[in-house]
Amino acid sequence: MRAAMAFPLRHPAVAGIVVGMRSAQEVRLDATAFSARVPARLWSDLRDEGLSC
């Protein structure tokens, strides 16, 4: 989940994202997920596949 939220923020033209949530529980889960560390290897693998900035 964290990578999905962080991916668009890696593009210099993107200033923010909006994450849809339907309940207080989803807010808590998304906040926890957003604070998780995304391994640098993921970004380099995506870049190698032409899928990232």
Side-chain angles (χ1 to χ4, degrees):
M1 176 68 129
R2 167 65 170 120
M5 291 186 281
F7 182 79
L9 295 172
R10 295 180 58 81
H11 192 283
V14 176
I17 61 169
V18 175
V19 179
M21 295 164 264
R22 293 174 284 192
S23 67
Q25 178 64 15
E26 284 187 14
V27 172
R28 286 188 291 277
L29 291 171
D30 288 349
T32 300
F34 198 76
S35 65
R37 183 184 166 281
V38 177
R41 175 76 188 249
L42 174 66
W43 304 126
S44 62
D45 287 350
L46 289 173
R47 188 173 44 254
D48 291 348
E49 294 295 323
L51 299 172
S52 183
C53 304

